[in-house]
Amino acid sequence: MMGDLKSQNDSQKLEWLPVEKQFATLAVHGGYTGENKCFSAIVPPISVAATFEIDVPAVNRGYEYARTDNPSRKILEQKLAALDGGKYGICYSSGLAAFSAVLSLIKNGDHLICSNDVYGGTVKLIMDSVDRLGFTVDFVDFDNLEGFKKALKPETKMIFLETPANPTLRVFDLAKISKIAHDFNKDLLVVVDNTCLTSYFQRPLSFGVDLVHYSLTKYANGHADVIMGAVITNNDSLKDRLKFYQNFNGGIPSPFDCYLVTRGLKTLPIRMKAVMESSLKVAEFLLEHPKVDAVFHPALPSHGSHKLAKKQCSGHSGLMSFRIKEDAGSALEFIRELKLFQNAGSFGGCESLAELPAYFTHKAVPEATRLSLGITNNFVRLAIGLESTEDLIEDLAQALKKC
Ligand SMILES: *Cc1c(COP(=O)(O)O)cnc(C)c1O
């Protein structure tokens, strides 16, 4: 109860950004209107055709070959664009395939500035591409905007960051970063990985960002049964390049997977509200626990990014972290004792997950970097799902007792 009161009082002082008024309506209907609507069916049919009949001489009637464009994917792409307040959505077979498409915008001799706190797979793909594609990269801490300014060079082509960062949930100021980048060079591309919050809680394009990147595998699909990615933009020439890459690199999602994500997005608003409420209650429980020495959740007034989060976001998701006091227990024991939470990577599904970044998702991060971010061996990441909050807290309590 005390926790509830604390958060209520605080949110009276400092409000989250309001959610876009039409968001829930677009989540249900976006993309499946007008000529996309088929057979008067309330939900879209799954269109499996690999090829489409065209006119003579060759003019397509909207579709010609399913790698280039197909009805199931188009419905999803238009829904995703609508939800982000963008003109174009382009889907790929995974979040990393979508990031490959983003990297294809960088040429030989270009310079990339990447946040030092992004998804591990993203870093691996960048490091694998640097020599092959002949570009250079600097990793910067976007908490330090002066440092970021110093890293900008005439040949800088792209800025890439993830906010909130995972698993520390540090929030970076998109409006300031976009302004600094575009004041330096108006053609600089600012790209944000919005996987953790989705367009329901954060709309990067509204802060001047050029491209929004997603792993739809997480909250967008929401059921941990699809791997998919997307990029959203308002820029026509970027869209042409990203569509070209989608078509000719060929990493496209299947019509069935597109149908599943289209379906998953309909409940995005209620799922995000539910995980936000639940994760905040879990955070408040952990904050009071004697074996816990730090809790990372942007909705907590004690979180370093709390103020910025409220300025930039409409809420926070179910991704959160905490640290068990070094002398109070072992995170390895804690994870073994959990009954309802499952030890697994990823997040955004209905099932709550727990994992130890130092041993799993962030194992490849150099120890010094990890420790400078506070990610010790006793650091636990939780992905709060849709189970009863009381059951989740009970599970955490019993595992903390035994660890
Ligand atoms: C999972 C994830 C990715 C990679 O997406 P896949 O769909 O697994 O390829 C990229 N960025 C973030 C923030 C992620 O969580």
Side-chain angles (χ1 to χ4, degrees):
M1 268 323 284
M2 282 305 288
D4 283 343
L5 277 178
K6 257 198 311 207
S7 64
Q8 264 168 28
N9 285 341
D10 182 74
S11 63
Q12 274 161 16
K13 275 184 275 156
L14 203 60
E15 296 289 349
W16 293 97
L17 279 186
V19 170
E20 189 63 29
K21 240 167 62 191
Q22 275 198 302
F23 194 96
T25 307
L26 290 171
V28 174
H29 296 283
Y32 193 51
T33 53
E35 63 181 21
N36 288 352
K37 206 146 181 189
C38 258
F39 314 129
S40 318
I42 297 301
V43 301
I46 300 168
S47 174
V48 296
T51 190
F52 298 82
E53 194 179 10
I54 57 172
D55 294 326
V56 183
V59 174
N60 77 40
R61 306 171 198 163
Y63 300 98
E64 60 181 39
Y65 187 60
R67 170 161 41 69
T68 313
D69 230 336
N70 75 72
S72 296
R73 199 174 80 212
K74 186 185 259 183
I75 290 164
L76 172 59
E77 292 181 332
Q78 291 183 356
K79 191 191 287 288
L80 288 166
L83 292 179
D84 250 292
K87 261 159 83 179
Y88 308 109
I90 305 114
C91 287
Y92 300 88
S93 51
S94 68
L96 276 176
F99 188 67
S100 297
V102 169
L103 272 188
S104 80
L105 301 168
I106 294 184
K107 289 196 292 290
N108 191 318
D110 285 344
H111 174 237
L112 165 70
I113 297 179
C114 182
S115 164
N116 67 358
D117 209 352
V118 295
Y119 182 73
T122 303
V123 176
K124 281 192 189 147
L125 181 54
I126 290 172
M127 295 322 290
D128 182 64
S129 309
V130 165
D131 288 340
R132 248 176 339 103
L133 302 181
F135 66 90
T136 56
V137 59
D138 278 312
F139 291 93
V140 309
D141 182 345
F142 278 98
D143 259 346
N144 174 1
L145 292 179
E146 286 309 312
F148 162 49
K149 272 187 202 163
K150 286 203 186 98
L152 286 162
K153 300 180 191 178
E155 59 272 28
T156 306
K157 170 78 182 179
M158 183 184 288
I159 312 292
F160 183 82
L161 71 149
E162 198 177 309
T163 179
N166 161 22
T168 55
L169 302 166
R170 293 191 301 154
V171 178
F172 302 117
D173 194 324
L174 292 179
K176 280 192 187 151
I177 291 165
S178 294
K179 183 161 185 334
I180 291 169
H182 292 135
D183 282 352
F184 184 80
N185 173 355
K186 68 173 178 29
D187 296 327
L188 239 166
L189 300 178
V190 180
V191 187
V192 170
D193 185 330
N194 200 30
T195 299
C196 172
L197 293 188
T198 77
S199 50
Y200 185 68
F201 281 146
Q202 181 167 269
R203 313 230 310 167
L205 296 176
S206 70
F207 297 104
V209 165
D210 300 285
L211 283 171
V212 191
H213 167 264
Y214 286 104
S215 166
L216 302 174
T217 309
K218 318 294 164 51
Y219 288 110
N221 177 56
H223 295 76
D225 51 9
V226 169
I227 299 280
M228 201 190 293
V231 180
I232 316 295
T233 187
N234 274 320
N235 180 308
D236 295 292
S237 64
L238 290 180
K239 181 267 290 177
D240 288 344
R241 177 68 209 157
L242 293 164
K243 284 291 289 181
F244 179 91
Y245 191 88
Q246 180 192 47
N247 193 6
F248 296 105
N249 190 64
I252 53 153
S254 76
F256 181 65
D257 284 353
C258 291
Y259 171 76
L260 285 177
V261 179
T262 299
R263 182 167 79 155
L265 283 169
K266 293 183 187 186
T267 55
L268 181 70
I270 55 176
R271 287 188 284 106
M272 294 310 274
K273 266 187 263 186
V275 291
M276 172 171 176
E277 196 182 307
S278 199
S279 67
L280 184 54
K281 283 188 183 147
V282 168
E284 284 167 344
F285 159 77
L286 291 168
L287 206 55
E288 306 282 317
H289 199 283
K291 281 196 179 180
V292 170
D293 76 353
V295 182
F296 303 85
H297 190 301
L300 292 176
S302 58
H303 188 75
S305 301
H306 179 67
K307 272 199 183 132
L308 178 56
K310 290 221 160 162
K311 207 174 82 181
Q312 181 165 296
C313 317
S314 307
H316 181 68
S317 67
L319 200 61
M320 54 170 295
S321 309
F322 70 100
R323 225 170 29 215
I324 298 174
K325 282 182 190 159
E326 281 315 314
D327 53 0
S330 142
L332 282 169
E333 277 306 309
F334 167 79
I335 291 276
R336 284 190 200 111
E337 292 295 342
L338 287 169
K339 293 186 167 69
L340 188 52
F341 281 85
Q342 297 168 82
N343 180 25
S346 199
F347 55 91
C350 301
E351 298 79 12
S352 289
L353 307 175
E355 65 105 8
L356 305 181
Y359 294 92
F360 187 33
T361 48
H362 292 64
K363 200 171 158 187
V365 178
E367 193 179 2
T369 313
R370 243 199 305 116
L371 293 178
S372 75
L373 293 169
I375 308 172
T376 63
N377 289 351
N378 258 3
F379 188 104
V380 183
R381 186 182 84 175
L382 301 177
I384 302 299
L386 295 174
E387 302 94 338
S388 307
T389 312
E390 292 70 16
D391 289 338
L392 295 175
I393 290 178
E394 200 172 292
D395 193 30
L396 295 170
Q398 66 81 24
L400 277 168
K401 201 166 175 179
K402 291 188 201 139
C403 77

